[in-house]
Amino acid sequence: LQTMSGNEDDWLALKPQEPSPSQCCGSGCKPCIYDVYEKELAQWERAKAKKDKSLLMEKKEQSNNSELNPDTFTAFNISSVEQLTEDTYQYKFELPGNSSLQLSLGQHIVLRGVVNGLEVQRAYTPISPGNAEGYFEVLMKCYEAGLMSQYIKTWKKGDMVFWRGPFGGFPYRPNKYGELLMLASGTGLAPMLPILQSITDDEEDETFVTLVGCFRTFDKIYLKALLQDLARYWNVRIFYVLSQETSLEKLPWSYQENTYIGRLAEDLVKTIINSCRRKPFVLICGSSAFNEDMNRYLKAAGIEENSCFVF
């Protein structure tokens, strides 16, 4: 006969672990990893009260299907790795058959990594169109001291990686806004691309788009060929703001007239807003410091808070 304490240890081993703060990506996901934990804990408590371990099995079955799910992590295969700049990579993940992620615009997904036994979670926005079939692509920047970066740097083609989602998003509808002004810093470009591509792919959508991409140098601009293609559309303008370039003369001539040297400061934001063809609705994505600065500059330029959306 099993002693009660032995049985108690068995149950303790099955108890879900409370997430550490590093596991929460801080993007306001619904459900958050803490919500998932609460749900699993309640499930564990019910099973323990009834002394029935089979009640814990339901969550295992869900994650075997290869569809993205907000509650459980699903494994996806890396089909290609492309280095874009010294610290930025584009990863392509396989989707079974010709299925698609079915993301709505600007939605993000959450990656789970384990580094030195510590589980970390971070949010990323796929740059592939939401209806891309058989694959999705994610742009990722690796930081020297970043926990998740240490994990990402080990990836090779064929590796399995765990994602859950989708979360968030920007409720875009064709022709809802006269002009979208997109202010993106670095990989903040990611949520802008699917929205921009959905506009250029839809002949009925006559929304003007002004995209401002902030990078340190010309070499650090991601996806130049794609951006150049998008800039050919009649309703799209793309500007670059390069904080560490010294002169425009060094740049290819095709970039000289739409590039600014320095930072995206208040006066430049005003200049760009004044050059918009209609009163813009503004989308912002970058570091928290960038987002705060942009909010401040937009306020100074007379753009109300209900005309901005921060990813």
Side-chain angles (χ1 to χ4, degrees), residues 89-157:
Y89 298 81
Q90 185 174 339
Y91 295 95
K92 193 171 187 175
F93 297 89
E94 263 170 58
L95 287 172
N98 52 1
S99 62
S100 85
L101 272 190
Q102 300 293 343
L103 297 190
S104 59
L105 292 171
Q107 283 195 308
H108 63 265
I109 54 180
V110 172
L111 169 68
R112 180 177 69 191
V114 178
V115 186
N116 310 332
L118 180 69
E119 187 178 301
V120 196
Q121 300 197 12
R122 293 283 180 274
Y124 295 92
T125 308
I127 56 171
S128 40
N131 55 359
E133 295 183 351
Y135 75 96
F136 65 96
E137 289 176 311
V138 185
L139 185 65
M140 293 176 159
K141 179 170 179 160
C142 289
Y143 296 90
E144 215 35 64
L147 273 178
M148 187 59 96
S149 300
Q150 291 172 34
Y151 167 59
I152 292 170
K153 280 176 189 164
T154 66
W155 289 359
K156 308 176 299 302
K157 185 180 166 179

Side-chain angles (χ1 to χ4, degrees), residues 60-78:
K60 296 287 182 282
E61 287 159 21
Q62 269 184 340
S63 53
N64 291 348
N65 62 20
S66 43
E67 275 179 23
L68 195 62
N69 175 329
D71 297 291
T72 48
F73 282 95
T74 305
F76 293 95
N77 239 331
I78 298 176

Side-chain angles (χ1 to χ4, degrees), residues 12-60:
L12 275 179
L14 293 168
K15 185 177 180 176
Q17 273 189 311
E18 184 169 2
S20 66
S22 70
Q23 291 173 269
C24 175
C25 71
S27 301
C29 303
K30 296 265 178 285
C32 168
I33 181 152
Y34 285 102
D35 299 334
V36 176
Y37 164 70
E38 295 297 331
K39 193 171 137 193
E40 290 181 351
L41 187 64
Q43 191 184 5
W44 176 81
E45 282 166 350
R46 279 197 306 275
K48 184 172 185 258
K50 294 186 172 165
K51 296 189 170 54
D52 180 358
K53 287 181 189 165
S54 69
L55 294 175
L56 296 174
M57 293 318 287
E58 56 187 290
K59 67 168 194 232
K60 296 287 182 282

